[in-house]
Amino acid sequence: MGSFSLWHWLILLILVIVPLIFIFRKPPAGPNRFGGPPDAMGFGQAISSYFRKYVDFTGRASRSEFWFSTLFVVLVSVALYAVDRTEVSNRIWSLATLLPSIAMATRRFHDINRSGWHQLLGLLFPIGTIAVLVWYCRAPAADHSRTSVFA
């Protein structure tokens, strides 16, 4: 077992330190630059919005819209797997919902005043997956247009 070489340090830098720069960077101050606040949705409304905004990467998505849509996609995927063990229908479903899922996640990031490109942190870096999950659960960025008792 040799010492920690320059290549090891470079890999550590790329996989841990670089993503941390993006993770700990604060979103821009001020009003949300991606539009007005989204409405909270029920299960049916969220699924309707999910397919209606199939590749719409603009605007914002509420937490309820994001999580109900994600729940629907996962439930259908599980049901398809239970029906067809060859996974052919499951792969078709995954391909059909790939773009709307990316669009929904982008709109969810817009709701916390972050760019949709932050999704790449979860795909490219192990530590980024944790940050992305935390951001999916985060409350929306405060709008200065609304009055608040704590303002």
Side-chain angles (χ1 to χ4, degrees), residues 18-28 113-114 118 135 138:
V18 171
L20 287 176
I21 293 169
F22 291 102
I23 291 170
F24 288 118
R25 184 186 309 172
K26 299 264 186 222
N113 209 15
R114 291 193 181 270
H118 282 89
W135 287 336
R138 193 171 206 183

Side-chain angles (χ1 to χ4, degrees), residues 97-114:
T97 58
L98 177 67
L99 280 176
S101 295
I102 294 171
M104 174 66 68
T106 298
R107 291 193 310 273
R108 181 69 199 116
F109 275 114
H110 289 175
D111 196 36
I112 61 169
N113 209 15
R114 291 193 181 270

Side-chain angles (χ1 to χ4, degrees), residues 23-89:
I23 291 170
F24 288 118
R25 184 186 309 172
K26 299 264 186 222
N32 193 308
R33 64 187 192 264
F34 296 107
D39 296 328
M41 294 186 178
F43 190 75
Q45 291 173 318
I47 294 165
S48 172
S49 173
Y50 178 78
F51 286 111
R52 191 176 56 249
K53 298 178 180 180
Y54 195 83
V55 289
D56 183 10
F57 292 88
T58 60
R60 295 165 64 177
S62 65
R63 284 186 288 184
S64 59
E65 181 181 359
F66 176 81
W67 287 112
F68 281 143
S69 301
T70 302
L71 176 66
F72 173 74
V73 169
V74 168
L75 289 176
V76 169
S77 182
V78 167
L80 287 173
Y81 181 73
V83 171
D84 181 18
R85 294 287 178 156
T86 62
E87 295 187 19
V88 173
S89 57

Side-chain angles (χ1 to χ4, degrees), residues 110-133:
H110 289 175
D111 196 36
I112 61 169
N113 209 15
R114 291 193 181 270
S115 170
W117 288 102
H118 282 89
Q119 294 177 69
L120 291 176
L121 286 172
L123 293 174
L124 300 176
F125 306 104
I127 197 166
T129 305
I130 297 167
V132 167
L133 284 172

